Amino acid sequence: MREVKVNRVYRHFKGDHYLVIDVARHSETGEEYVVYRKLYGDGGLWVRPLAMFLEPVDKEKYPDAKQEYRFELLDIPSVAGHK
């Protein structure tokens, strides 16, 4: 099963990048939500149900989408050689 990594950058299937801040739980339902920040424009803070964050792209609605999942973790290497 896929999991969300906090403090990591993800690419949305439409191309923009987001920093995952944390995973929060709804106080009434217990449903988990991903809290993430846009890495463009105003840098707004967003929340989305965890299940939706991790779901595959709807290929019927977006047949030209290159990614398999709505959000995919990016591997961003250090330019200074840090690990």
Side-chain angles (χ1 to χ4, degrees), residues 50-78:
L50 176 65
M52 184 184 281
F53 191 91
L54 294 174
E55 74 185 0
V57 173
D58 181 344
K59 295 293 187 164
E60 288 187 24
K61 188 172 181 182
Y62 301 101
D64 296 329
K66 304 276 189 272
Q67 289 186 190
E68 180 178 355
Y69 295 100
R70 179 180 294 271
F71 287 90
E72 291 188 359
L73 179 65
L74 295 179
D75 181 23
I76 303 173
S78 168

